[in-house]
Amino acid sequence: MASSLGGKIAGYQTAQVPAGDLQHPLLLERLRRSSRDTFWSRLESRVWTVTLLVGTCLLYCARSSMPICAVTMSEDFGWNKRQSGVVLSSFFWGYCLTQVLGGHLSDKVGGEKVIFLSALTWGLITAMTPLVAHLTTVPLILVSLLRFLMGLLQGVHFPALVSLFSHRVRETERAFTCSTVGSGSQLGTLVMGGAGSLLLEWYGWESVFYFAGFLTLLWGYCLSTYLLKEKERIVTVEDLGKCFAVSSQANGQWKKLFWKAPVWAVILAQLCVASTAFTIFSWMPTFFKERFPESKGWVFNVVPWLFAIPAGILSGLLSDHLMTRGYQTVWVRKLMQIVGMGFSSVFIFCLAHSSSYHYAVAFASVALALQTFNHSGITVNVQDLAPTCAGFLFGVANTGGALLGVVLVYLSGYLIETTGSWSSMFHLVIVVNLMGLVVFLEFARSERVDAETIHV
């Protein structure tokens, strides 16, 4: 005899439905929504994953526009190396300042709002850069200011993503979502390296900025029109007030949170991951040019990224598969970090001591590919520990990683100059990586340590 389901779910009246029909996807979706489940449905998750992947790709397209055009712009405006360095570095100073604020704001008002509004603004800044540069008599100052503002606005993106995923993506799907969206950084570097170089050669440096800027504005329009509700398109004064209202109880809760060893494990591990990646990306092109003078730049600037994109997606699939098979969450997170920080260090060591160009490209490709496994480890572990403030914690860790990255880049240059060997730079990266890995393996946990009573 067929039974039926009826009654109220979370305050909503449900229809009388035969139990055999409960497997119907439309009914399950209706029940999911009526129970006020905050997680995305499978279809919503796929749509948002693709959308945010494209957004992250465009973020890196806009970020890479200045490095690609720096030489040509220096010739047009008469900038020397020091002045070009001011323009290029101004982005990173802004980028360091808004990580924590962006993560905290996202935790309180919604990551989708922060991502949408920031993207519209830095997309507009990117598109305006050529106009500002040509209309002013002091292009160095104003272009540097625009790059600084872009850094401020792009600094909120990844903390906002972490916050958004912690609230909307189920635990068994977070690794794939994080790794797939994170691969947008490699995809954006590839797109701008190819399309940007062609636009620069055919139409001039201005077209590179127009390309990245207008595509971002188009992406923002589509996001606003098809995915966001009206209330998700703006940040009100009430939202800001809620964000910055700090109670004494909240201060006490924050202090308790930062006394937790798993919190510091993930912060220190992310600090090591971000700083060493920043160092490798900064010095690797110079390493190949000096160690292998006859090498083709497009090979070592493109091939490693081609390997990194599928590796990142694979890491997410593997992580979520292990979770669904019943493996402990903390075990899966640690396994991803062993691959991302441990195994990648082995290939970095091989790269440091390679005398063959082809082997060096292969080692660099594998090392960068394995580093993408960090998206399925640390990045997701932040969400395991503290979903109510994941954006804030990731912002803290990423700020430290960016600042330490600046220090490591300088220290690496000093070591290379002093020792006359590139091995010293790679050894420094390996040591920092392994230190972070040891801390994570020893103290990382997956149980929640945040408190629902935190209302900062």
Side-chain angles (χ1 to χ4, degrees):
M1 176 176 173
S3 61
S4 61
L5 175 68
K8 293 184 178 180
I9 300 181
Y12 288 84
Q13 186 72 30
T14 61
Q16 296 291 330
V17 182
D21 292 340
L22 285 176
Q23 300 304 315
H24 194 284
L26 294 179
L27 176 60
L28 291 177
E29 172 65 11
R30 183 171 36 166
L31 293 177
R32 184 191 71 82
R33 291 193 176 279
S34 65
S35 64
R36 295 181 180 178
D37 187 352
T38 60
F39 295 128
W40 287 325
S41 67
R42 184 172 296 250
L43 177 60
E44 287 175 320
S45 183
R46 290 174 178 172
V47 172
W48 272 99
T49 298
V50 173
T51 302
L52 294 172
L53 167 63
V54 174
T56 304
C57 172
L58 292 173
L59 178 108
Y60 268 80
C61 285
R63 186 182 300 186
S64 304
S65 56
M66 181 60 71
I68 287 177
C69 300
V71 174
T72 305
M73 293 178 69
S74 298
E75 294 173 353
D76 286 355
F77 297 116
W79 297 339
N80 56 34
K81 288 289 190 295
R82 180 181 60 82
Q83 292 171 321
S84 297
V86 170
V87 176
L88 291 170
S89 63
S90 58
F91 172 89
F92 295 100
W93 291 112
Y95 188 73
C96 292
L97 295 179
T98 52
Q99 298 275 335
V100 177
L101 176 62
H104 177 59
L105 183 62
S106 300
D107 290 333
K108 296 306 173 185
V109 305
E112 61 269 55
K113 287 185 181 181
V114 176
I115 292 169
F116 168 66
L117 294 175
S118 65
L120 286 184
T121 313
W122 58 255
L124 182 61
I125 288 175
T126 304
M128 288 174 52
T129 299
L131 300 176
V132 172
H134 285 301
L135 291 177
T136 180
T137 57
V138 284
L140 176 66
I141 296 176
L142 290 184
V143 171
S144 297
L145 178 60
L146 289 180
R147 291 293 293 178
F148 175 77
L149 291 175
M150 178 180 286
L152 287 175
L153 292 162
Q154 289 200 352
V156 307
H157 183 80
F158 286 103
L161 284 177
V162 171
S163 178
L164 179 62
F165 295 156
S166 70
H167 289 89
R168 295 302 187 90
V169 181
R170 300 179 189 280
E171 184 182 33
T172 55
E173 299 173 0
R174 285 176 186 165
F176 172 74
T177 305
C178 288
S179 60
T180 301
V181 173
S183 67
S185 58
Q186 289 88 16
L187 181 60
T189 304
L190 278 176
V191 169
M192 188 51 73
S197 298
L198 292 176
L199 289 171
L200 177 64
E201 180 181 350
W202 293 346
Y203 302 108
W205 64 268
E206 296 88 349
S207 64
V208 178
F209 288 89
Y210 292 143
F211 171 77
F214 286 125
L215 280 182
T216 300
L217 294 176
L218 177 62
W219 176 83
Y221 171 78
C222 294
L223 178 63
S224 173
T225 303
Y226 299 108
L227 287 181
L228 295 181
K229 301 175 183 177
E230 183 176 355
K231 65 179 182 180
E232 295 173 334
R233 300 170 189 165
I234 58 173
V235 176
T236 64
V237 175
E238 292 179 306
D239 289 334
L240 294 177
K242 181 171 59 175
C243 176
F244 293 107
V246 182
S247 65
S248 58
Q249 181 185 14
N251 282 329
Q253 293 293 346
W254 281 118
K255 291 178 182 179
K256 292 180 181 179
L257 189 65
F258 280 103
W259 276 103
K260 305 288 186 179
V263 171
W264 280 107
V266 76
I267 288 176
L268 292 175
Q270 173 62 23
L271 188 148
C272 293
V273 165
S275 61
T276 53
F278 187 56
T279 304
I280 290 177
F281 297 158
S282 298
W283 283 110
M284 188 173 291
T286 306
F287 163 76
F288 273 99
K289 287 181 180 179
E290 292 191 0
R291 179 70 70 87
F292 309 103
E294 303 301 321
S295 61
K296 300 291 185 180
W298 67 268
V299 175
F300 57 77
N301 283 327
V302 171
V303 172
W305 302 109
L306 291 175
F307 281 85
I309 294 173
I313 297 174
L314 174 64
S315 72
L317 289 171
L318 175 61
S319 179
D320 288 343
H321 175 71
L322 292 174
M323 294 276 292
T324 57
R325 292 294 299 272
Y327 289 93
Q328 290 186 352
T329 301
V330 67
W331 184 88
V332 176
R333 306 304 184 224
K334 290 181 178 181
L335 175 63
M336 296 298 108
Q337 287 309 123
I338 290 174
V339 177
M341 301 178 79
F343 290 177
S344 67
S345 294
V346 174
F347 287 92
I348 292 173
F349 181 83
C350 295
L351 173 63
H353 297 278
S354 176
S355 57
S356 165
Y357 171 63
H358 294 95
Y359 279 126
V361 172
F363 291 143
S365 299
V366 176
L368 292 181
L370 294 179
Q371 285 184 341
T372 63
F373 279 65
N374 295 318
H375 290 302
S376 301
I378 295 172
T379 305
V380 190
N381 190 231
V382 175
Q383 302 167 48
D384 297 330
L385 295 174
T388 59
C389 52
F392 170 81
L393 289 180
F394 187 82
V396 171
N398 227 26
T399 298
L403 293 174
L404 181 59
V406 174
V407 174
L408 288 186
V409 169
Y410 172 80
L411 182 58
S412 296
Y414 173 80
L415 290 175
I416 295 168
E417 188 73 24
T418 303
T419 64
S421 170
W422 280 94
S423 299
S424 58
M425 184 273 287
F426 289 113
H427 291 164
L428 174 64
V429 168
I430 293 170
V431 169
V432 174
N433 248 342
L434 294 181
M435 288 174 59
L437 177 60
V438 169
V439 171
F440 188 79
L441 293 179
E442 178 65 25
F443 298 105
R445 300 292 184 271
S446 60
E447 297 81 10
R448 287 187 61 170
V449 298
D450 62 344
E452 296 294 344
T453 54
I454 294 179
H455 297 296
V456 181

